[in-house]
Amino acid sequence: MSEMARSVWRYRHFILSSVKNDLKARFARSRLGGLWMVLQPLAQVAIYSLVLSRVMAAKLPGVTNQYAYSIYLMAGMLAWSLFVEIIQRSLNLFVDNGNLMKKIFFPRVCLPFIGVGTALVGNAFLFAATVFIFAIVGHPPTWALLWLPLLVAVNVAFSLGLGLLLGVLNVFVRDVGQIMAVVLQLWFWVTPIVYTAGILGNGFRSIIALNPMYYIVTGFQDVMLYGKAPQLMPLLWTALGSVVLLGLSFIVFRRAAPEMVDVL
């Protein structure tokens, strides 16, 4: 692991330039460019808000802002969009870069960090737009936002750990990408983003409690909507599990890397 960390540090300029080139290629010939990273999730929030705001607004105790449900949604979507972006990029990371891996010598461990870097840039734009919209609707930022770096770090660790394992597996079994497209849709609905966990029965709530994204999303909502610290003990266990998963994924990646190049 220390050797992989040193490789990432030595090739940090390669990673940064690759992130920059990836963003340029993603929005080439697009008039709105990087704004699409913000407009797409905000459009989804607007749709859910229009459909469910009157039903769900009363389910948010302790909040008097008439746009409380929209704020709740945006906070949840900020966490979820980062998770999905990293998962989706990690799934096809090695398949899409197969020729690059064969023709150019560089530490293969750089590829996951390029994907994470691109996802973080997009999420930063979405965060800036979210805070700006919050201020417009009368919900200015609070000191609780200082908890966000921790929440983002846990989110990235869990997303990259899971995504890297799936990405390695997808090299050998291409059905993994198709299956995960369905799994992510189901996962979205067992995470309290559109609804609140308080409206659920005890049985379903116990199932959701097994979902690591539940604690990450709830942390974002606590910080951004309620202006309070996230629940630290559940978040701590989620963080520990994410670090273990991340370490395991890098071990699997390191052992599978030589075979991956041959398969690709």
Side-chain angles (χ1 to χ4, degrees):
M1 292 297 291
S2 60
E3 180 183 346
M4 297 175 73
R6 287 194 297 269
S7 297
V8 170
W9 177 250
R10 285 198 303 268
Y11 281 78
R12 62 190 182 279
H13 299 297
F14 169 73
I15 294 173
L16 292 174
S17 62
S18 298
V19 169
K20 184 178 179 180
N21 293 333
D22 191 11
L23 290 169
K24 285 183 177 180
R26 183 177 179 182
F27 301 108
R29 299 183 182 180
S30 173
R31 292 184 179 275
L32 294 180
L35 285 176
W36 286 115
M37 293 185 290
V38 174
L39 293 177
Q40 290 173 351
L42 291 185
Q44 190 174 4
V45 168
I47 292 170
Y48 284 127
S49 295
L50 288 173
V51 175
L52 298 172
S53 59
R54 291 191 177 184
V55 176
M56 295 300 302
K59 306 297 183 180
L60 298 171
V63 183
T64 58
N65 192 308
Q66 61 178 326
Y67 300 104
Y69 179 64
S70 298
I71 297 171
Y72 177 86
L73 266 176
M74 292 175 71
M77 288 301 299
L78 186 66
W80 181 258
S81 63
L82 179 60
F83 167 69
V84 170
E85 179 80 5
I86 293 176
I87 292 291
Q88 290 177 338
R89 286 186 170 276
S90 300
L91 267 172
N92 298 306
L93 193 63
F94 307 113
V95 175
D96 292 345
N97 292 282
N99 290 331
L100 183 66
M101 293 172 66
K102 292 178 181 179
K103 296 178 180 178
I104 302 176
F105 174 77
F106 66 95
R108 306 299 184 248
V109 72
C110 292
L111 289 174
F113 288 93
I114 293 171
V116 169
T118 305
L120 284 173
V121 171
N123 200 250
F125 278 111
L126 181 58
F127 169 74
T130 300
V131 172
F132 178 72
I133 293 173
F134 283 6
I136 290 177
V137 300
H139 190 77
T142 67
W143 288 105
L145 289 182
L146 294 176
W147 286 99
L148 274 182
L150 174 62
L151 291 166
V152 169
V154 175
N155 196 347
V156 169
F158 175 65
S159 306
L160 182 58
L162 179 59
L164 191 55
L165 283 176
L166 293 172
V168 172
L169 186 58
N170 193 42
V171 172
F172 303 99
V173 184
R174 297 298 171 86
D175 292 335
V176 172
Q178 304 301 323
I179 294 171
M180 279 305 299
V182 177
V183 170
L184 287 174
Q185 292 183 29
L186 296 174
W187 200 334
F188 176 83
W189 289 106
V190 294
T191 306
I193 299 171
V194 176
Y195 58 88
T196 63
I199 68 174
L200 303 174
N202 291 332
F204 196 65
R205 200 181 305 173
S206 62
I207 295 175
I208 288 183
L210 301 175
N211 175 9
M213 284 305 297
Y214 165 65
Y215 303 105
I216 296 172
V217 167
T218 301
F220 272 74
Q221 292 162 343
D222 285 341
V223 166
M224 301 189 74
L225 174 61
Y226 296 104
K228 64 181 183 180
Q231 300 180 39
L232 293 182
M233 284 307 299
L235 186 63
L236 176 61
W237 284 112
T238 304
L240 290 175
S242 299
V243 170
V244 171
L245 177 62
L246 185 60
L248 175 63
S249 68
F250 274 110
I251 292 173
V252 171
F253 165 70
R254 184 175 183 177
R255 292 184 177 180
E259 296 181 24
M260 286 167 53
V261 176
D262 294 334
V263 172
L264 293 169

